[in-house]
Amino acid sequence: MMNVLKFGIVMMCLLFPVACATDSAEREESSAGTVQTENNDPFVTWSGGIPYKVITEEVLPDKLASEELGEVTMEVTLSELTEDNELKGQDGLSNYLKAGSLIFQLKDANTNEVILVEHEGQLYKAVRLDHEE
């Protein structure tokens, strides 16, 4: 009987911190609103202020760029984007790309899903956060 009680106490001590950490992470994600990215993940907003994650691991050839859509207008942090109501819904905001960086349509792709962004003379894919590949 005593061993069963000790086992139960040990299990509660081991599982309780995990459950609390999970709950905390879920609250943090839901408080971010529509922006569900890590603070360090590069993003740009487009298509009505929707955040797109910039995939920096692969440089794409220029020939994949179709129409120029616009440019980055302002550099912002993730916390500024989620806390400042005037910034919500704006296109061309980024925590990674410099103001003036160009945004392009990827040939034969839906801009609601994926776009191309220019950074330091290179092209990178940016995927809509709720449609990450």
Side-chain angles (χ1 to χ4, degrees), residues 25-35 82:
E26 288 172 356
R27 277 195 310 268
E28 187 175 323
E29 181 177 313
S30 67
S31 70
T34 59
V35 180
T82 57

Side-chain angles (χ1 to χ4, degrees), residues 23-119:
D23 185 45
S24 173
E26 288 172 356
R27 277 195 310 268
E28 187 175 323
E29 181 177 313
S30 67
S31 70
T34 59
V35 180
Q36 297 177 356
T37 182
E38 297 297 323
N39 285 331
N40 297 331
D41 284 346
F43 70 85
V44 62
T45 60
W46 197 251
S47 296
I50 296 168
Y52 289 69
K53 180 179 177 181
V54 179
I55 310 298
T56 59
E57 293 81 15
E58 181 182 2
V59 176
L60 299 175
D62 291 345
K63 65 182 180 182
L64 292 179
S66 179
E67 174 185 347
E68 183 179 316
L69 300 173
E71 66 181 52
V72 174
T73 57
M74 185 186 304
E75 297 172 52
V76 297
T77 64
L78 179 62
S79 60
E80 288 173 326
L81 184 62
T82 57
E83 295 170 8
D84 189 338
N85 286 333
E86 291 183 20
L87 295 177
K88 291 179 182 173
Q90 286 190 27
D91 289 343
L93 306 178
S94 180
N95 68 339
Y96 179 72
L97 304 167
K98 304 286 184 213
S101 296
L102 298 176
I103 301 169
F104 297 92
Q105 180 177 4
L106 176 63
K107 282 187 180 176
D108 301 322
N110 183 342
T111 57
N112 286 323
E113 303 293 327
V114 61
I115 57 177
L116 293 178
V117 295
E118 178 269 328
H119 177 65

